[in-house]
Amino acid sequence: MMAKRDSPFRIKPSLDPALTQWCLRFVKSCTEEHVERCSTVLRDLHLESRRLFLDLDEHWGGSFGLTQNGMLMLCRSEAGLREETEVAERARDLGLGADVLDSQQVKGVEPDLRTDVLGAVHFLDDCHLEPHTFVRQLQSRLEEAGVAFLWGREARGVTDHDIELSDQTVEHDVVVLACGSWTGQLAK
């Protein structure tokens, strides 16, 4: 999956030693024991994140399209439904809501769904939002609070008080580095 161009989690192959080291650690962590050890932490992060988004949605008056309909994992094969049922059982063991549905029950949850499925698992604790609306709301509210967004500039250095940009030096109280997987490299 990681080598496919259209994958949601893609790694471009290279001989970069840091990437090779990361890949080896990743493979070493892909064990049932590791998943078991991490599952309660991941559940707690999920639930706390959900709670914070619900609080923010209430505080902002429902302005970013948050819905609490859960998530349907649709299955078109018996094997797929068996695998997803195992995930549902694990979720329930962790105290999460997960219902295994047949095709008729899927239509009850999503009456307008037009697809050929054998069944699904409905993960009840999931929420969804409109990402572009959320990001616009977040930026607008942060700007109202005095946060400055400086787009399209190269950061050349950061000290405790200043950021040296390509065209100016800016004083700061707090700097947020939000570059996804490149954040660690940028922070160095």
Side-chain angles (χ1 to χ4, degrees):
M1 177 175 124
M2 290 190 286
K4 292 182 181 179
R5 281 191 189 278
D6 61 348
S7 172
F9 181 57
R10 181 174 187 271
I11 294 177
K12 186 177 177 182
S14 80
L15 296 176
D16 177 10
L19 175 62
T20 302
Q21 191 175 39
W22 182 89
C23 288
L24 290 172
R25 285 193 317 266
F26 182 81
V27 168
K28 189 176 177 182
S29 294
C30 292
T31 66
E32 288 195 32
E33 179 188 357
H34 187 259
V35 170
E36 184 69 29
R37 252 188 356 260
C38 296
S39 60
T40 55
V41 172
L42 292 173
R43 177 210 52 210
D44 293 348
L45 284 170
H46 167 77
L47 293 175
E48 181 62 9
S49 174
R50 179 181 189 269
R51 185 192 68 75
L52 291 169
F53 272 107
L54 290 170
D55 287 353
L56 196 56
D57 185 57
E58 183 180 331
H59 183 71
W60 287 0
S63 61
F64 55 88
L66 184 71
T67 59
Q68 299 182 65
N69 300 334
M71 177 179 67
L72 277 177
M73 293 298 291
L74 303 172
C75 303
R76 296 181 78 175
S77 70
E78 289 291 340
L81 188 55
R82 264 193 314 275
E83 284 180 29
E84 209 55 52
T85 298
E86 288 176 19
V87 174
E89 289 169 1
R90 182 66 186 125
R92 287 192 295 261
D93 289 345
L94 289 166
L96 300 171
D99 293 333
V100 179
L101 310 176
D102 62 27
S103 60
Q104 286 304 109
Q105 291 168 314
V106 171
K107 289 182 184 192
V109 174
E110 282 292 337
D112 296 330
L113 183 66
R114 302 285 181 247
T115 188
D116 182 24
V117 297
L118 289 176
V121 172
H122 189 194
F123 292 96
L124 304 169
D125 297 299
D126 280 287
C127 293
H128 301 274
L129 56 80
E130 298 169 10
H132 61 283
T133 304
F134 175 72
V135 170
R136 277 198 309 266
Q137 282 283 327
L138 182 60
Q139 181 181 346
S140 174
R141 290 171 188 272
L142 289 171
E143 286 173 337
E144 288 170 10
V147 172
F149 290 84
L150 305 173
W151 306 106
R153 296 190 177 109
E154 180 183 343
R156 297 188 174 159
V158 179
T159 69
D160 289 342
H161 304 288
D162 298 318
I163 302 173
E164 182 185 337
L165 301 174
S166 52
D167 61 345
Q168 71 185 99
T169 299
V170 179
E171 289 184 27
H172 67 80
D173 295 322
V174 175
V175 175
V176 176
L177 299 177
C179 305
S181 62
W182 295 280
T183 302
Q185 183 179 351
L186 177 64
K188 287 180 184 176

